[in-house]
Amino acid sequence: MTIDATVLLAIIVMGAVTYLTRVVGFLLPSTLALSPRAQAAFDAIPPAVLVAVIAPTALATGWRETLAALICVAAAARLPLLGVVGVGVVAIVALRAIG
Amino acid sequence: MTLHDDSRDTRAGFADIWPIAVAAVPIGLVFGALASAKGLSPLEATLMSLLVFAGGAQFAALEIWTTPAPILLLAFSTLLINARHILMGASLAPKMKTMPLPQRLFGLYFLTDEAWALAERRALTKPISFSYWMAVAILLPGAWVGATAIGAGLGALLGDPKRFGADFAFTALFIALIAAFWKGRSTAIVIVAAGAASAIVYRTIGTPWHVVAGALAGIAAAALAQPSANSAEKNTSHDD
C-alpha cells in the first residue's frame, strides 16, 4: 500500500474539480425562464452527454463492440437495467469468441 | 416530514438504486484492474474512487495517465467530462427546496448520472427529500469504492478484464440509462448528433475532447430541431 505525492495531488485536484461541478449548478439562480428552444437544449443534456461518453467504444472501436451496443439498444427496449448489462457482457464475450 | 415519511422515502430510494449499485460492481472491478495496470497502487485507485467518484472522468483519467501524473491535463479532462453536473445541479435545485443548504452541499457530493436520473424521475411526482436522496446516493459509492479496491487488489490475478467482457459493462449500463430518456424523434436527433460528433472527434483529436464535442453537438441539434418560440406557440403538436 503506497501512495505517491504527485498522484495524491492529482486525485485531490480531480476530486475538487468534480465537487465544484456538482455544487455550482445548484447555486445558480433557479428562476430562469427558458424559451422552448432553450428548454429543448436543456432536456437534451443527459442523453447527449451519456452518448458522447460511450460513442468511442460503441462506434469507433470495432464491429464487435458496435454490434454488441446495438444488441444492448434492443435489450434496453424491454429489459430492466441489470438485464441490459448482462445481455451486453454476454454479447461482447460471445462476439469476441467468434472472431 | 414525519419519521414515517422519512423511512418510506428511504425504502423507495433503496428500491430504485440497488440494481444500479449491483451494475456498478463489475465496472468498479474493471476500473481497479485498469488502474493497477496503469501503475496506480490499490490505495491510490481506491482513493480516487472515493474522492472523485465519477466513473466517466476516472476512466478518461486512466486513458491519459502517465508517470508522473499530468495534474493539469487530468484536472482539465475531469472538468470537461463532469461539466454536465453543473446542468444537472441547476435542474435539481428547485426540486430540492425542502433541504437546508448544509444537507444539499453534503448530498451533492454524491451526485451521479444515475442518482440524478432517478431523482428527476422521482421529482415528476413528489419533491426530493433528503431521505430519498441519501438512500439513492449512498449505495453507489459503497459499491463503487469497494469494487475498485477489490479490482485493484486482484488486478494481476483477474488478468485482462476484456476476457470477461467486463470492459463493456460501462457501455451497456449507459445505453440502458439513455433509453430512460427516450422521447421519440427529438431524442433520436440528439443521439445521432452526439454519437457522430463524439466518435469523429475521438478518432481525429482524441480524449477527452470527444465528450465535450459530442455533448455540444447533441445539445445544438436539439435546439435547432426545436421550432422557435413563435412557431411553437402556433404549432402545439409534440413528438410522441
Side-chain angles (χ1 to χ4, degrees):
Chain A
M1 283 294 189
T2 57
I3 189 146
D4 174 85
T6 313
V7 171
L8 180 64
L9 183 61
I11 291 170
I12 289 172
V13 169
M14 285 175 66
V17 166
T18 303
Y19 183 68
L20 206 66
T21 65
R22 284 177 166 134
V23 293
V24 160
F26 220 80
L27 304 172
L28 290 176
S30 58
T31 50
L32 298 171
L34 294 176
S35 69
R37 179 160 287 183
Q39 187 65 51
F42 207 78
D43 290 345
I45 291 163
V49 170
L50 294 171
V51 169
V53 170
I54 61 163
T57 302
L59 300 175
T61 297
W63 65 268
R64 295 173 193 83
E65 285 73 16
T66 301
L67 186 54
L70 287 173
I71 292 170
C72 287
V73 171
R78 57 210 68 163
L79 289 180
L81 201 127
L82 267 189
V84 178
V85 174
V87 165
V89 168
V90 169
I92 197 69
V93 169
L95 286 167
R96 284 172 182 163
I98 292 167
Chain B
M1 178 71 60
T2 67
L3 204 62
H4 179 72
D5 284 337
D6 275 346
S7 72
R8 198 176 53 201
D9 280 8
T10 302
R11 279 202 307 277
F14 282 139
D16 285 346
I17 196 71
W18 79 261
I20 292 175
V22 171
V25 169
I27 300 166
L29 287 171
V30 171
F31 175 76
L34 288 177
S36 78
K38 278 279 180 177
L40 276 83
S41 73
L43 183 60
E44 290 163 350
T46 308
L47 208 57
M48 192 196 285
S49 281
L50 184 67
L51 294 181
V52 181
F53 183 49
Q58 288 179 237
F59 277 102
L62 291 186
E63 278 191 59
I64 55 179
W65 198 270
T66 48
T67 305
I71 294 174
L72 278 182
L73 184 62
L74 287 167
F76 188 57
S77 163
T78 302
L79 179 64
L80 282 183
I81 292 171
N82 288 337
R84 67 186 189 278
H85 291 144
I86 297 170
L87 297 150
M88 295 178 187
S91 167
L92 275 182
K95 295 154 190 159
M96 288 181 156
K97 278 193 179 132
T98 57
M99 287 187 211
L101 188 64
Q103 284 188 354
R104 295 191 202 180
L105 291 178
F106 174 71
L108 281 173
Y109 181 80
F110 305 99
L111 178 66
T112 56
D113 298 313
E114 295 86 349
W116 173 73
L118 291 176
E120 288 281 354
R121 198 180 67 187
R122 173 90 172 172
L124 295 175
T125 54
K126 52 195 78 168
I128 305 159
S129 68
F130 187 64
S131 306
Y132 179 81
W133 176 259
M134 286 316 295
V136 161
I138 211 77
L139 271 191
L140 209 49
W144 179 243
V145 175
T148 299
I150 295 168
L154 296 180
L157 295 175
L158 283 174
D160 186 357
K162 284 191 172 184
R163 258 194 323 138
F164 311 103
D167 59 311
F168 197 74
F170 186 73
T171 305
L173 175 67
F174 268 45
I175 289 172
L177 287 172
I178 293 161
F181 290 98
W182 182 260
K183 280 190 280 185
R185 197 182 66 95
S186 60
T187 317
I189 291 169
V190 172
I191 291 172
V192 169
S198 169
I200 290 166
V201 168
Y202 174 74
R203 277 291 180 85
T204 52
I205 302 171
T207 303
W209 295 101
H210 65 276
V211 177
V212 72
L216 290 178
I219 292 163
L224 292 175
Q226 174 73 24
S228 66
N230 286 337
S231 56
E233 278 164 22
K234 290 172 203 151
N235 176 12
T236 52
S237 70
H238 292 288
D239 289 323
D240 52 334

